[in-house]
């Protein structure tokens, strides 16, 4: 028995020194889990810039104390590459910081991916895997985050977005391949099945942005810096569509474009650039990192940039609101009213309209009240209009996003301000707008008209701590 125990101790010691020690597992702490994304270190061994890059990493980690660091590609980008990787890994080993790496387009130019991951796996603080051998790329892996009951409550997907491909017709950059997507879908389905058929909240990290990053530019939920084009693959891999179909990924986080750090919501999924970290990388942005904080049991997270100078504005998912506008916007004061009856007052019109301004010239047919905004009781199928009036009870001071989904036009006013402009004759379409509101009651006026061929009306909102929903009956009161 003594010999067996001695052999076991020797084996455990060997496992620790050779990277086969038990890797950390992750769990929410006090209902939160914080990830830091360092991207584009462009570590150039023996460059004076490495000292500043290291100082940035140390400052961010000290300030934020995350549970996990993700290095999302272009980590070591010059020779001697092995020396560079040793310096980076030793830094995280010294700080006892669990970390994981996804490949960038430059990493394999200086050291083969297999060799990179063979070396990474020797670190007791490296929590990723080399990934399945039968799919494209290296480092494809999944990290579950446990809840208080020990079961997975969230998932982090790490993907190799690959680097270059030889066919000039397809552009310079490679893409996430179908076998990788199939692997992701299989992992996602397994977690969903284990969770009783409900997809777990998830994040994805990789290096090269998807084409869908271009679709959020100029949207009112998009925030941050865009100082260069989007260097995505010219082919659409279908990765984004799979995120939508599997219903788990809330946000995707990339690097690659050093002068971009913007983020926005596309079809319910946050698409975000990290903040360039490396001194020797091109770009004018202050070096730093992106922070993501998940909430246990919720499809919700906050994200912000941290640099050695401190934190920048916080972006709230899923509302698409941010702390900068919370501080900047002028808040509309609450009305000094105490309504007692819930509901919405309406005036119903009939006549031809091409825009909501034409409602005033239509024939007034009747007035009344209803529980909520609705056109279900309209006697005609076409050529009618409504003016709705109600008092909206706002539960707490904040910035709120409102939307209308209508066929044909609709315009939403709050306290006399035009908040949502969805005017004109059109098929069913959505429009959004933001307003800062004090706690209490606010006057709402909604104009709607139906021209012909189809009718629809829906009115909803969201706040920093309120998931998007149709305006509930209990928040609507009849004007006195």
């Amino acid at each position: 028995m003594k010999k067996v125990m001695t052999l076991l101790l020797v084996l455990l010691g060997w496992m620790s020194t050779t990277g086969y020690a038990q890797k950390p597992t992750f769990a929410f702490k006090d209902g939160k889990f914080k990830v830091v994304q360092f991207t584009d270190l462009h570590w150039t061994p023996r460059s004076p810039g490495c000292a500043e890059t290291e100082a940035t990493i140390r400052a961010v980690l000290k300030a934020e104390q995350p549970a996990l660091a993700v290095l999302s590609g272009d980590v070591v980008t010059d020779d001697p590459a092995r020396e560079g990787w040793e310096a980076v890994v030793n830094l995280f080993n010294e700080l006892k910081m669990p970390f994981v790496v996804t490949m960038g387009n430059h990493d394999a130019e200086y050291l083969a991916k297999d060799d990179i991951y063979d070396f990474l796996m020797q670190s007791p603080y490296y929590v990723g895997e080399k990934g399945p051998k039968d799919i494209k790329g290296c480092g494809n892996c999944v990290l579950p985050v446990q809840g208080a009951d020990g079961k997975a409550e969230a998932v982090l997907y790490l993907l190799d977005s690959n680097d270059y491909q030889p066919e000039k017709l397809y552009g310079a950059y490679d893409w996430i391949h179908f076998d990788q997507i199939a692997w992701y879908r299989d992992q996602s389905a397994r977690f969903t099945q284990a969770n009783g058929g409900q997809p777990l909240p998830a994040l994805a990290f990789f290096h090269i942005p998807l084409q869908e990053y271009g679709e959020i530019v100029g949207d009112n939920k998009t925030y941050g810096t865009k100082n260069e084009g989007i260097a995505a693959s010219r082919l659409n891999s279908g990765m984004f569509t799979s995120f939508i179909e599997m219903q788990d990924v809330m946000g995707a986080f990339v690097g690659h474009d050093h002068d971009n750090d913007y983020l926005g919501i596309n079809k319910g999924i946050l698409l975000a650039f990290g903040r360039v970290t490396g001194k020797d990388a091109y770009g004018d942005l202050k070096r730093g990192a992106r922070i993501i904080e998940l909430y246990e049991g919720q499809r919700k997270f906050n994200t912000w940039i941290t640099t050695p100078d401190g934190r920048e504005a916080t972006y709230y998912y899923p509302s698409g609101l941010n702390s900068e506008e919370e501080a900047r916007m002028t808040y509309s004061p609450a009305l000094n009213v105490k309504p007692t009856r819930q509901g919405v007052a309406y005036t119903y019109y009939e006549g031809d309209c091409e825009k909501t301004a034409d409602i005033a010239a239509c024939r007034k047919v009747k007035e009344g009240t209803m529980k909520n905004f609705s056109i279900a009781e309209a006697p005609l199928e076409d050529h009618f209009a409504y003016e709705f009036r109600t008092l909206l009870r706002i539960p707490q001071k904040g910035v709120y996003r409102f939307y209308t989904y209508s066929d044909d036009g609709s315009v939403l006013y709050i306290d006399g301000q035009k908040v949502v402009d969805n005017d004109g004759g059109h098929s069913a379409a959505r429009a959004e707008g933001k307003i800062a509101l004090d706690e209490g009651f606010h006057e709402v006026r909604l104009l709607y008209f139906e021209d012909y061929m189809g009718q629809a009306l829906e009115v909803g909102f969201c706040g920093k701590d309120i998931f998007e929903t149709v305006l509930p009956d209990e928040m609507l009161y009849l004007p006195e």
Side-chain angles (χ1 to χ4, degrees):
M1 177 63 72
K2 186 175 181 180
K3 288 184 179 180
V4 172
M5 290 298 297
T6 302
L7 181 60
L8 178 59
L9 290 172
V10 171
L11 178 60
L12 290 173
W14 174 82
M15 291 172 67
S16 176
T17 58
T18 56
Y20 287 89
Q22 183 177 357
K23 302 293 184 178
T25 57
F26 296 108
F28 285 91
K29 182 179 180 181
D30 298 326
K32 297 180 179 180
F33 185 80
K34 186 185 288 186
V35 180
V36 58
Q37 177 200 7
F38 296 110
T39 193
D40 295 272
L41 273 64
H42 279 257
W43 192 280
T44 304
R46 305 175 189 176
S47 164
C50 293
E52 186 170 331
T53 301
E54 179 178 337
T56 296
I57 294 171
R58 288 181 179 273
V60 170
L61 293 177
K62 181 178 180 180
E64 295 293 348
Q65 298 293 307
L68 171 68
V70 177
L71 281 61
S72 59
D74 284 2
V75 180
V76 177
T77 56
D78 208 343
D79 286 323
R82 176 60 181 248
E83 181 179 313
W85 281 103
E86 288 175 352
V88 171
V89 170
N90 286 340
L91 173 59
F92 286 90
N93 286 347
E94 176 199 335
L95 297 173
K96 299 181 179 179
M97 171 53 58
F99 72 106
V100 65
V101 174
T102 67
M103 288 286 92
N105 54 294
H106 289 302
D107 290 302
E109 293 176 342
Y110 300 94
L111 192 63
K113 291 181 181 181
D114 278 345
D115 294 337
I116 292 172
Y117 280 95
D118 284 342
F119 176 67
L120 289 171
M121 295 296 291
Q122 296 177 34
S123 167
Y125 294 98
Y126 189 75
V127 297
E129 299 174 4
K130 198 170 184 178
K133 295 181 179 180
D134 57 346
I135 67 173
K136 180 77 172 178
C138 231
N140 299 294
C141 66
V142 56
L143 299 176
V145 183
Q146 297 175 358
D149 58 1
K151 297 179 181 179
E153 288 286 349
V155 180
L156 308 179
Y157 293 103
L158 292 305
L159 294 160
D160 185 354
S161 56
N162 301 300
D163 36 47
Y164 306 99
Q165 57 81 38
E167 178 53 65
K168 294 180 181 179
L169 180 64
Y170 303 151
Y173 295 113
D174 206 343
W175 50 89
I176 299 173
H177 286 241
F178 284 172
D179 55 359
Q180 295 174 275
I181 295 174
W183 169 85
Y184 151 71
R185 294 174 69 99
D186 180 64
Q187 300 299 314
S188 174
R190 290 173 185 270
F191 281 107
T192 296
Q193 183 179 17
N195 193 43
Q198 183 67 31
L200 287 177
L203 304 178
F205 295 87
F206 43 95
H207 183 70
I208 298 175
L210 304 173
Q211 288 187 348
E212 286 83 1
Y213 274 71
E215 298 175 1
I216 60 176
V217 176
D219 183 84
N220 66 8
K221 296 187 291 296
T222 298
Y223 180 81
T225 302
K226 182 184 184 301
N227 285 338
E228 64 173 313
I230 302 163
S233 169
R234 291 187 183 179
L235 294 184
N236 192 316
S237 67
M239 185 79 257
F240 184 78
T241 302
S242 281
F243 288 156
I244 288 177
E245 290 184 344
M246 302 310 292
Q247 300 179 38
D248 57 348
V249 170
M250 303 181 292
F253 298 84
V254 303
H256 193 51
D257 299 343
H258 306 176
D259 272 329
N260 293 334
D261 70 3
Y262 72 86
L263 70 173
I265 297 174
N266 190 344
K267 301 174 182 66
I269 297 176
L270 182 84
L271 300 178
F273 283 99
R275 172 65 68 86
V276 60
T277 304
K279 170 63 175 177
D280 287 318
Y282 77 83
D284 298 326
L285 294 176
K286 175 73 177 178
R287 273 34 182 176
R290 177 167 292 286
I291 314 298
I292 307 105
E293 190 166 60
L294 292 160
Y295 289 81
E296 184 175 358
Q298 301 184 60
R299 291 190 63 81
K300 169 184 174 180
F301 62 85
N302 297 338
T303 180
W304 60 89
I305 299 295
T306 294
T307 74
D309 293 339
R311 287 185 178 182
E312 299 183 6
T314 300
Y315 186 98
Y316 310 114
Y317 176 89
S319 71
L321 302 169
N322 64 79
S323 62
E324 189 273 334
E325 61 192 4
E326 286 181 323
R328 168 181 49 82
M329 295 178 70
T330 300
Y331 285 74
S332 183
L335 300 173
N336 185 22
V337 295
K338 295 181 179 179
T340 57
R341 296 184 300 154
Q342 292 183 335
V344 174
Y346 72 87
T347 304
Y348 171 75
Y349 300 86
E350 292 179 352
D352 294 336
C353 297
E354 294 183 355
K355 53 186 181 298
T356 56
D358 297 335
I359 295 175
C362 291
R363 180 173 63 92
K364 182 189 296 187
V365 176
K366 64 177 180 177
E367 295 179 332
T369 63
M370 56 180 67
K371 288 185 177 181
N372 208 316
F373 303 99
S374 174
I375 61 172
E377 300 303 319
L380 301 180
E381 290 188 2
D382 296 315
H383 308 301
F384 66 87
Y386 279 92
E387 179 183 7
F388 299 97
R389 301 174 308 281
T390 190
L391 294 173
L392 174 64
R393 180 178 55 81
I394 292 297
Q396 63 183 32
K397 180 178 180 179
V399 178
Y400 292 86
R401 181 186 307 281
F402 290 82
Y403 74 87
T404 69
Y405 178 82
S406 66
D407 177 356
D408 287 84
S410 58
V411 178
L412 180 70
Y413 298 87
I414 300 179
D415 295 337
Q417 300 180 51
K418 184 188 288 187
V419 177
V420 180
D421 187 349
N422 199 3
D423 209 351
H426 54 72
S427 299
R430 175 182 169 123
E432 303 175 343
K434 291 178 285 191
I435 186 171
L437 300 171
D438 280 339
E439 179 182 348
F441 288 96
H442 296 266
E443 182 183 56
V444 174
R445 177 171 174 254
L446 174 67
L447 297 176
Y448 165 84
F449 74 91
E450 158 57 22
D451 190 8
Y452 68 99
M453 292 182 65
Q455 314 87 28
L457 177 64
E458 181 177 292
V459 185
F461 85 130
C462 68
K464 181 176 71 173
D465 298 316
I466 300 175
F467 287 4
E468 183 174 281
T469 180
V470 173
L471 282 175
D473 296 351
E474 57 268 24
M475 292 181 64
L476 305 175
Y477 288 75
L478 293 172
E480 295 294 329

